[in-house]
Amino acid sequence: MLIRKPDALYGTNIPSSEITPKDKWLNRRSLLTGAAAAGALALGADRLADVLSPTRTALAAGKLTTVKSQLSTTGEELTQLQDVTSYNNFYEFGTDKADPGHNAGILPTRPWSVKISGLVKAPKVLDIDSLLKLKPLEERVYRFRCVEGWSMVIPWVGYSLSELIKVCDPLPSAKFVQFTSYFDRKVEKWTSESNIAWPYSEGLRMDEAMNPLTLLTLGLYGDVLPGQNGAPVRVIVPWKYGFKSAKSIVGIKFVDKMPATTWNDLAANEYGFYSNVNPNVDHPRWSQKSERRIGQPFYAQRHPTLMFNGYGDQVASLYNGMDLKKFY
Ligand code: MTE
């Protein structure tokens, strides 16, 4: 039975010691750019309300035909489209939360193709239209939890990544999947502001990638993905911290060894390969016991963080016998 029940998230009393202080998660960004970025970040939150990108105003037309999904999380208030599209991490388009909403509209999303390579029967290149047509598009409402301590509830559009993986025909020796994001310094000039070794890259173990919850994501709120949310195609892995969900994917490679990933390369002690949402394993610099739901009134924003972001009944068995403190 995969239909999720509403969670009793409200009315809890979380001690202030468990709330991630803003200066702590802002420090995450200083990993990338040092003092200059930290200065720029200070402006960020205050500018959120008045961000209006051309991409975002083009949304809400409901351009994608979707079917409801049994894998939807139900019972929680959706985060407003305006918040979903104006409070983003997409470092190719700037380090401020508001930057991607301003800048990512220039992503050239047509034509777009995804290269399938590595341990597969036959490498191939799939264009975005064939991905849009491969399977009926489902609307799946998922909780999305960022490692920084904020969360949203978003109606994504797509289908299980496993459907695409079947088409890719991986060899039995494929144990991991690596995702590579679009990178063009001429388009994403903000990449020079940070010390990430571009392109952005992420990875999943094969069984994680094959779990039906892992979503090949082509839209949100009934429309194609806006640039700032990873147009035209990304993955969403709802039981993991948000950074595992690579945006604007141009490459999917099947490999036999755990692949290098962007955040793990940058600070392995802070961002492990697994990065499952886990309130019992603190980030070295802040607690992960609770989260701030973006867009809710101040008094209602704080929610306890749930093990595997609340998707434990569907994914906990993937980690049987593993010490999740060691494999964070
Ligand atoms: N993918 C790429 N290519 N570049 C990025 O900077 N940021 C990650 C992830 N995927 C990122 C990325 C992080 S840190 C988060 S929290 C989520 O995207 C944010 O997704 P959202 O902006 O749609 O909420």
Side-chain angles (χ1 to χ4, degrees), residues 28-29 32 83-94 97 100 144-148 150 152 154 156 180-182 188 196 198-202 220 225-230 234-236 241-249 262-263:
R28 177 182 184 221
R29 226 77 57 74
L32 299 175
D83 290 322
V84 174
T85 53
S86 62
Y87 193 82
N88 300 100
N89 282 337
F90 199 172
Y91 295 108
E92 287 91 326
F93 292 96
K97 290 280 181 286
F144 187 77
R145 165 68 153 84
C146 177
V147 73
E148 294 162 352
W150 50 267
M152 302 193 191
I154 302 175
W156 300 106
T180 304
S181 295
Y182 175 89
E188 299 162 326
I196 282 180
W198 305 104
Y200 193 96
S201 115
E202 256 311 331
L220 59 81
L225 280 175
Q228 58 267 47
N229 294 94
R234 71 181 297 183
V235 287
I236 292 293
Y241 291 120
F243 64 89
K244 296 297 291 179
S245 296
K247 294 180 168 181
S248 304
I249 292 171
T262 292
W263 284 96

Side-chain angles (χ1 to χ4, degrees), residues 126 129-136 159 163-165 167 216:
L126 299 171
D129 292 308
S130 63
L131 290 177
L132 278 160
K133 282 187 223 134
L134 188 72
K135 285 282 153 185
Y159 47 83
E163 301 289 355
L164 172 61
I165 292 181
V167 172
L216 187 79

Side-chain angles (χ1 to χ4, degrees), residues 13-21 145 149 279 282 286-292 302-305:
N13 196 6
I14 296 156
S16 58
S17 60
E18 288 174 7
I19 295 175
T20 315
R145 165 68 153 84
D282 288 341
W286 60 78
S287 161
Q288 294 290 26
K289 287 197 166 44
S290 74
E291 62 205 56
R292 183 172 60 93
R302 274 286 147 193
H303 299 262
T305 285

Side-chain angles (χ1 to χ4, degrees), residues 185-260:
R185 212 179 277 287
K186 291 194 286 304
V187 175
E188 299 162 326
K189 52 182 194 288
W190 304 268
T191 48
S192 58
E193 289 171 9
S194 69
N195 52 4
I196 282 180
W198 305 104
Y200 193 96
S201 115
E202 256 311 331
L204 294 172
R205 222 170 52 188
M206 198 64 172
D207 56 351
E208 297 176 321
M210 288 299 288
N211 185 280
L213 278 183
T214 304
L215 189 71
L216 187 79
T217 308
L218 296 146
L220 59 81
Y221 264 106
D223 210 329
V224 295
L225 280 175
Q228 58 267 47
N229 294 94
V233 56
R234 71 181 297 183
V235 287
I236 292 293
V237 194
W239 71 95
K240 291 179 181 279
Y241 291 120
F243 64 89
K244 296 297 291 179
S245 296
K247 294 180 168 181
S248 304
I249 292 171
V250 292
I252 299 181
K253 188 174 183 183
F254 294 87
V255 293
D256 56 358
K257 296 197 177 57
M258 189 179 276

Side-chain angles (χ1 to χ4, degrees), residues 121-183:
K121 285 222 177 86
K124 45 172 96 48
V125 174
L126 299 171
D127 70 57
I128 190 65
D129 292 308
S130 63
L131 290 177
L132 278 160
K133 282 187 223 134
L134 188 72
K135 285 282 153 185
L137 298 173
E138 297 170 26
E139 181 176 89
R140 291 200 198 162
V141 178
Y142 281 164
R143 241 176 258 128
F144 187 77
R145 165 68 153 84
C146 177
V147 73
E148 294 162 352
W150 50 267
S151 62
M152 302 193 191
V153 179
I154 302 175
W156 300 106
V157 175
Y159 47 83
S160 296
L161 176 68
S162 60
E163 301 289 355
L164 172 61
I165 292 181
K166 281 181 216 154
V167 172
C168 298
D169 227 347
L171 301 173
S173 50
K175 302 288 179 241
F176 294 88
V177 193
Q178 183 174 35
F179 305 95
T180 304
S181 295
Y182 175 89
F183 174 52

